[in-house]
Amino acid sequence: MNSKQIRSHFIDFFQSKAHQFVPSAPIVVKNDPTLMFTNAGMNQFKDYFLGNENPEHIRVTNSQKCLRVSGKHNDLEEVGVDTYHHTMFEMMGNWSFGDYFKKDAISWAWELLTEVYQLPKDRLYITVFGGDKADQLEQDDEAFDYWAQLVDKDRILFCSKKDNFWEMGETGPCGPCSEIHFDMRSLEEIQKIPGRALVNEDHPQVIEIWNLVFMQFNRFADGHLKELPAKHVDTGLGLERLVRVIQHKSSNYDTDLFAPFIAKMEAISGFTYGESEKIDIAFRVIVDHIRAISFTIADGQLPSNNKAGYVIRRILRRAVRYGYTFLDLKKPFLFNLVPVLAEKFGEFYPEINSQQDFITKVIQEEELAFLRTLDKGLKNLESIQKGLADKNETTIPGEVAFELYDTYGFPLDLTSLIARENGLSVDEEGFSAAMKAQKDRSRSASKLETGDWIMVNDEESSVFVGYDTLEATAQIIKYRKIKDKKKDRFQLVLTETPFYAESGGQVGDTGTLSNDEERITVLDTTKENDLIVHWVSALPKNPEADFKGEVNADKRRLIKSNHTATHLLQSALKQVLGDHVQQKGSLVNDKILRFDFSHFAKLSPEELLQVEDIVNGKIRENIALDEKRNVPIDEAKAMGATALFGEKYGEQVRVITFNPSYSVELCGGTHVEATGEIGLFKIISESSISAGVRRIEAVTAKGAEDYVNKQFALLEEIQEALKNPRDLVAAIEGMMTERAALRKEIELLNQKATEKIKETLKSEVKSFNGYNLILGLIKLPNAEALKKLSFELKNEIENLVAVLAADINGKPQLAIVVNDLLVKDKGLHAGNMVRELAREIKGGGGGQPFFATAGGKDSSGLPIALEKAETLLQQALK
């Protein structure tokens, strides 16, 4: 079977067992503060396990795209080095939400593996939970007994909590699990060592392929366990590993999931996979990473310098760096693999096909940017090596290696590799210490302690009524305490709420909760999975009382204007630029709207004006809102509704329409009743935020009026300052022309003054042991003049060492220039010397052996620096 057939057989099998197929959730997680990426098939079903939401189907199956490169599940450094870890992988699974449990899960797993896939039974081993004294849990005899009806007992192993007890996180649903392992070794090896001895021993050929998790308990913050009211099944079968087993391959990378990528890389690089271990690792890193990069971009997460975007950028740069170092690929190459990805995965994951061009361009631009950074980093490393050589040292300090990693994306292994090639080493302990310090700072900055939920009300679900009203009377279902660096706060869940929770780019509502006894401010409203959470600064005195929730109406009104304007803006952009425009992010609050979209060129003033005109035209048309709730997703798509890549939509969706021929979108946000309420739309900026993505910021309603009024006020001030000229533009152009002429005149005067200073310094040259010294205390107009003067002196005087102490507009600067022969013969190093002298002016600096500069805060130290320089030079030139 090929990989497509293997995936299809899994889904078909469980559909035959009355499971509903559910498409993969986006790989980038939203509305879950505990996760950055989907790292397991169960992530999209968390609310069912947590009891926050009732499932639409009690049995489901799917193949979920997952990413494990951060947090608890971090496989990045193993990827490529071994043959079975991956960044992005597919987790096939079947779930039961309070329906079947261990017996059916076990029997169906065995049936699928041995009858459908026809895996040999004598190669399979089973592990079950062996109990844990700390949690007061007995071994899972129930699972053992079910397995014993299917498998020889000597193939069933009791294992520890570490291997056979699955937990969602530090708190939450958890339970014992049964893993299914497969022994891929030769008969000769099996006869020497039985497979059961190698299960869970990280043997590359005795591997886990399927994990059956039995959700029985809820873990609380203090560590204790409590039985869940309903028991669930959550299974995960790794597609890559199963394909490897079925196709009789010794490596995941030899399967048809990766072979086409490796063939393409062989054509690109000229190297052959299997030639050497270093080259093979590079191939594996690249063909693994292109999947993670492409799927995350398709789901709306672009490479960037923070959070999820930084993780993706790091993965991309790791792939580029392996190609650069081991395959001699000095130009972008990763982007050439995207068509292979579309061919291999586009049928099952159509988002790859529909965005192929966009993904390709983003990756290519990112590669170009990193190659430039890599080149800078290599030059920086050369300078570091020279500095060490000058001091007769052979170890790159750990903090320097970390700076290369943090600033230029140089991982430790690359720095170490280059160091070894040049007879140097790296202080790896110092690097680790610097890395730990950064992680500690990051953890400290974002540390959030979350208490357990305290139940107040037996009501199971919370209802959002905020589309229809800004007020509602409700009770508290549960609350918990939150501690972070700000202060203690509380989160409340209400039976009914008018507060919109932050999602889809729209900020959360604020307002109040009140009754006759008290009034509490709602600071923010957020979503945790699908749970609406209200942030308050204080816990109500009586949590069991009724409360009237009131949304800040003025703020909501402005938010609605901005949100509806983003819909009108997106349609206008498509009309002006083309259908390739896709939303890539947004922010909607009461002050501004920000809209990110796919486009590879800066918008011209004419295009921006055209977009503005279209949007304002739609506002003047006063188009009424057509809102449809609970529309079947297929019906909504048939209506032409625009869906956002990377969003997870349910079977029923909300459709927002402002004229069916203009704007039809799937959206959960709040909107005006008619476009005329927006009043005015004004674009205030257009910029690039990453490769292939532009950003427009705009204001509406009162914000737009204020912006226009401020612009007019500024224009009036300028006119008054220029004595109200008839032609303001001509007056400003005349001033600019006059200013340019004056600057040129000043520059000529400065040049003459500098030339005079140079002649004076040349007349004061001191000779010492055949060398020429200049020690000058001077005044100059700018730093560029100091640099120019230094090099002119060097070119005009032989065997020169010049130390210039300059007052530049009241700020002290030092410049040292050294003849190249003196650098070579006497070991003089301008950079080292200027760092020493900079102490006298309370500053710092550095540079190359032949030229270096420093700046400081204390001009009174300039004469002292010159005296010190003379002493140092006399010692060095003896």
Side-chain angles (χ1 to χ4, degrees):
M1 297 182 208
N2 62 40
S3 56
K4 290 181 181 179
Q5 292 169 323
I6 292 169
R7 186 197 291 118
S8 178
H9 282 325
F10 182 92
I11 293 165
D12 291 345
F13 176 83
F14 280 103
Q15 284 182 318
S16 76
K17 306 294 184 186
H19 287 64
Q20 173 69 34
F21 172 72
V22 177
S24 171
I27 207 166
V28 182
V29 175
K30 297 176 182 177
N31 300 330
D32 185 347
T34 67
L35 278 178
M36 191 177 285
F37 300 103
T38 297
N39 62 12
M42 57 75 61
N43 290 159
Q44 67 169 306
F45 307 120
K46 274 177 74 170
D47 274 323
Y48 302 157
F49 296 128
L50 291 165
N52 297 335
E53 190 178 343
N54 294 320
E56 296 177 37
H57 309 280
I58 57 175
R59 297 181 181 186
V60 300
T61 185
N62 84 341
S63 186
Q64 172 67 50
K65 48 195 177 185
C66 300
L67 192 68
R68 288 188 179 175
V69 288
S70 58
K72 176 184 173 185
H73 299 291
N74 189 349
D75 295 338
L76 183 59
E77 296 310 317
E78 282 80 38
V79 174
V81 177
D82 64 29
T83 59
Y84 53 91
H85 276 105
H86 300 288
T87 49
M88 182 265 168
F89 59 94
E90 286 186 72
M91 188 73 84
M92 301 187 297
N94 58 290
W95 286 268
S96 165
F97 307 116
D99 185 25
Y100 64 85
F101 201 46
K102 295 180 185 179
K103 182 180 180 180
D104 287 336
I106 288 169
S107 63
W108 288 337
W110 189 252
E111 180 185 348
L112 177 62
L113 291 177
T114 61
E115 295 181 24
V116 177
Y117 293 131
Q118 297 183 358
L119 297 185
K121 297 177 182 179
D122 61 357
R123 295 293 185 122
L124 292 164
Y125 290 89
I126 311 300
T127 65
V128 294
F129 177 55
D132 186 76
K133 288 183 180 180
D135 281 334
Q136 299 180 338
L137 295 175
E138 300 295 327
Q139 66 184 27
D140 192 356
D141 289 328
E142 182 186 6
F144 182 92
D145 291 341
Y146 287 134
W147 279 115
Q149 296 172 27
L150 304 166
V151 189
D152 292 340
K153 289 184 179 180
D154 65 350
R155 292 186 167 274
I156 310 172
L157 294 79
F158 281 108
C159 293
S160 68
K161 174 183 174 181
K162 174 180 174 290
D163 292 313
N164 280 82
F165 193 88
W166 195 92
E167 307 204 44
M168 185 186 293
E170 292 181 5
T171 61
C174 54
C177 60
S178 272
E179 295 177 346
I180 304 171
H181 297 252
F182 192 87
D183 188 347
M184 303 183 67
R185 297 173 301 146
S186 67
L187 287 172
E188 185 181 2
E189 290 176 293
I190 290 172
Q191 288 169 358
K192 290 179 182 177
I193 304 174
R196 62 179 289 122
L198 299 175
V199 169
N200 282 333
E201 295 297 326
D202 289 328
H203 192 287
Q205 299 298 319
V206 182
I207 58 173
E208 173 203 341
I209 55 173
W210 203 348
N211 190 9
L212 315 180
V213 179
F214 310 118
M215 294 283 196
Q216 292 180 241
F217 307 102
N218 191 23
R219 173 85 68 184
F220 288 84
D222 63 3
H224 84 276
L225 296 172
K226 184 180 178 181
E227 286 267 355
L228 289 169
K231 295 177 180 179
H232 313 288
V233 170
D234 160 27
T235 85
L237 173 58
L239 176 65
E240 290 77 11
R241 294 189 182 191
L242 181 62
V243 172
R244 171 183 169 187
V245 166
I246 291 175
Q247 294 182 357
H248 306 292
K249 302 296 184 183
S250 60
S251 160
N252 290 6
Y253 294 92
D254 295 334
T255 67
D256 74 318
L257 284 168
F258 292 96
F261 296 93
I262 287 176
K264 183 67 174 178
M265 278 307 303
E266 287 179 327
I268 291 171
S269 68
F271 289 93
T272 303
Y273 186 64
E275 283 185 349
S276 75
E277 184 62 13
K278 285 184 177 180
I279 288 173
D280 289 356
I281 289 173
F283 268 83
R284 291 196 290 265
V285 166
I286 291 163
V287 302
D288 170 272
H289 288 9
I290 188 61
R291 304 193 327 162
I293 298 159
S294 299
F295 273 101
T296 47
I297 292 172
D299 276 350
Q301 180 56 65
L302 299 167
S304 67
N305 283 332
N306 51 58
K307 297 183 180 178
Y310 177 72
V311 175
I312 302 311
R313 177 166 281 171
R314 185 179 168 211
I315 294 172
L316 187 149
R317 290 183 168 190
R318 187 171 187 257
V320 173
R321 192 261 303 172
Y322 266 91
Y324 186 98
T325 304
F326 299 105
L327 303 179
D328 198 32
L329 296 170
K330 310 301 185 191
K331 294 181 179 179
F333 63 91
L334 270 179
F335 73 96
N336 290 309
L337 296 174
V338 177
V340 183
L341 188 85
E343 172 67 25
K344 192 71 195 167
F345 294 96
E347 183 180 344
F348 192 76
Y349 297 109
E351 63 271 22
I352 295 295
N353 272 343
S354 60
Q355 297 190 85
Q356 182 179 338
D357 289 345
F358 177 71
I359 296 166
T360 301
K361 288 177 181 177
V362 170
I363 291 175
Q364 187 176 15
E365 290 295 322
E366 280 288 320
E367 287 187 89
L368 283 167
F370 180 53
L371 287 169
R372 289 192 291 268
T373 301
L374 198 60
D375 189 53
K376 289 179 185 175
L378 288 169
K379 288 177 180 174
N380 197 299
L381 195 50
E382 287 176 13
S383 177
I384 291 166
Q385 291 168 359
K386 287 179 183 177
L388 291 173
D390 291 336
K391 293 185 281 188
N392 292 319
E393 294 178 3
T394 58
T395 302
I396 297 174
E399 60 270 21
V400 173
F402 179 75
E403 185 182 350
L404 285 168
Y405 163 79
D406 201 36
T407 306
Y408 299 102
F410 271 57
L412 180 62
D413 57 353
L414 177 60
T415 303
S416 298
L417 175 70
I418 297 171
R420 284 195 300 274
E421 289 173 351
N422 291 274
L424 303 173
S425 62
V426 178
D427 173 17
E428 295 192 11
E429 287 187 9
F431 177 90
S432 298
M435 175 74 84
K436 182 178 182 299
Q438 187 198 56
K439 286 182 177 178
D440 288 344
R441 287 193 299 271
S442 176
R443 244 192 314 269
S444 176
S446 60
K447 191 174 182 181
L448 189 75
E449 292 182 23
T450 304
D452 289 324
W453 285 110
I454 308 298
M455 301 304 298
V456 178
N457 194 306
D458 291 335
E459 190 76 33
E460 291 184 358
S461 60
S462 176
V463 179
F464 175 64
V465 296
Y467 294 139
D468 304 311
T469 180
L470 298 184
E471 297 180 4
T473 299
Q475 296 81 44
I476 295 172
I477 296 177
K478 55 186 177 180
Y479 68 86
R480 67 183 177 188
K481 189 176 183 178
I482 301 292
K483 295 182 71 172
D484 63 11
K485 63 178 184 177
K486 293 180 181 177
K487 57 183 177 180
D488 292 355
R489 287 168 293 164
F490 293 86
Q491 293 180 335
L492 312 177
V493 177
L494 305 175
T495 54
E496 192 171 287
T497 179
F499 292 88
Y500 181 85
E502 179 181 349
S503 60
Q506 179 175 327
V507 297
D509 281 332
T510 58
T512 58
L513 293 175
S514 63
N515 55 26
D516 292 339
E517 301 297 321
E518 58 186 325
R519 186 180 183 85
I520 298 169
T521 300
V522 177
L523 305 169
D524 195 7
T525 312
T526 59
K527 263 192 180 177
E528 187 165 316
N529 302 302
D530 282 329
L531 196 66
I532 298 176
V533 177
H534 306 78
W535 292 70
V536 296
S537 57
L539 187 67
K541 295 171 185 174
N542 179 10
E544 296 179 4
D546 289 355
F547 290 89
K548 181 182 180 183
E550 294 180 85
V551 174
N552 182 325
D554 291 337
K555 185 175 178 183
R556 170 74 85 85
R557 186 177 63 256
L558 294 170
I559 291 171
K560 289 196 301 183
S561 288
N562 281 336
H563 198 153
T564 299
T566 62
H567 285 220
L568 304 181
L569 171 61
Q570 177 167 225
S571 297
L573 286 167
K574 286 186 175 183
Q575 192 172 323
V576 173
L577 303 176
D579 288 336
H580 66 279
V581 168
Q582 295 288 342
Q583 181 178 338
K584 293 300 173 185
S586 69
L587 170 68
V588 177
N589 60 30
D590 54 321
K591 296 181 174 60
I592 197 169
L593 70 90
R594 192 176 72 201
F595 188 76
D596 301 337
F597 58 98
S598 52
H599 189 59
F600 279 83
K602 179 178 173 62
L603 272 70
S604 68
E606 292 76 20
E607 287 172 329
L608 288 171
L609 186 59
Q610 195 177 350
V611 168
E612 253 188 20
D613 285 347
I614 292 171
V615 174
N616 282 313
K618 297 302 176 185
I619 291 170
R620 288 191 295 273
E621 285 181 35
N622 197 27
I623 305 167
L625 165 66
D626 178 6
E627 177 201 19
K628 290 184 173 65
R629 302 179 195 173
N630 301 316
V631 180
I633 183 73
D634 291 336
E635 184 181 321
K637 289 179 179 177
M639 293 166 59
T642 300
L644 182 61
F645 288 116
E647 285 291 336
K648 175 66 179 174
Y649 297 102
E651 294 180 15
Q652 304 287 321
V653 294
R654 180 168 176 256
V655 182
I656 297 296
T657 303
F658 289 98
N659 188 332
S661 64
Y662 184 71
S663 174
V664 185
E665 295 192 33
L666 303 182
C667 181
T670 60
H671 291 276
V672 298
E673 293 300 315
T675 58
E677 293 178 33
I678 299 172
L680 177 65
F681 171 84
K682 183 65 184 173
I683 294 172
I684 60 174
S685 72
E686 188 273 346
S687 60
S688 170
I689 61 165
S690 64
V693 180
R694 308 296 300 180
R695 170 173 291 173
I696 280 178
E697 291 189 347
V699 285
T700 68
K702 185 70 166 56
E705 289 176 19
D706 290 344
Y707 178 80
V708 171
N709 288 336
K710 284 180 182 177
Q711 296 301 306
F712 273 113
L714 179 62
L715 192 60
E716 286 179 2
E717 283 183 33
I718 293 170
Q719 284 182 312
E720 285 183 17
L722 296 180
K723 309 300 183 188
N724 295 306
R726 290 182 181 179
D727 188 335
L728 181 60
V729 174
I732 292 173
E733 287 177 347
M735 285 181 63
M736 291 175 67
T737 302
E738 184 180 347
R739 182 171 176 266
L742 289 171
R743 287 185 69 176
K744 195 169 184 180
E745 189 176 332
I746 291 169
E747 193 176 321
L748 288 171
L749 291 172
N750 284 336
Q751 284 179 3
K752 289 180 180 178
T754 304
E755 189 67 29
K756 193 172 182 180
I757 290 169
K758 183 178 75 173
E759 294 305 318
T760 301
L761 290 172
K762 287 170 72 174
S763 68
E764 296 173 353
V765 172
K766 297 180 181 178
S767 294
F768 184 81
N769 289 343
Y771 305 108
N772 291 315
L773 306 183
I774 290 179
L775 300 164
L777 185 63
I778 56 179
K779 279 193 174 186
L780 287 172
N782 52 56
E784 186 58 36
L786 179 60
K787 181 179 179 181
K788 185 171 180 289
L789 175 61
S790 300
F791 279 99
E792 286 181 357
L793 288 170
K794 180 187 174 187
N795 292 334
E796 295 175 19
I797 301 175
E798 293 183 353
N799 294 336
L800 175 70
V801 181
V803 180
L804 303 180
D807 180 319
I808 297 178
N809 297 321
K811 294 182 179 179
Q813 284 205 18
L814 294 167
I816 301 176
V817 63
V818 180
N819 182 277
D820 294 348
L821 288 175
L822 289 175
V823 171
K824 185 177 178 181
D825 296 341
K826 289 293 184 177
L828 285 180
H829 193 293
N832 294 341
M833 188 185 300
V834 86
R835 276 191 287 270
E836 178 71 22
L837 299 181
R839 296 175 185 172
E840 306 303 329
I841 58 172
K842 296 181 181 178
Q848 297 168 304
F850 60 86
F851 179 69
T853 60
K857 300 175 184 175
D858 185 4
S859 296
S860 65
L862 288 172
I864 303 169
L866 284 180
E867 291 175 12
K868 192 172 185 179
E870 187 167 13
T871 302
L872 290 172
L873 288 172
Q874 286 177 351
Q875 291 173 351
L877 299 175
K878 284 181 180 177

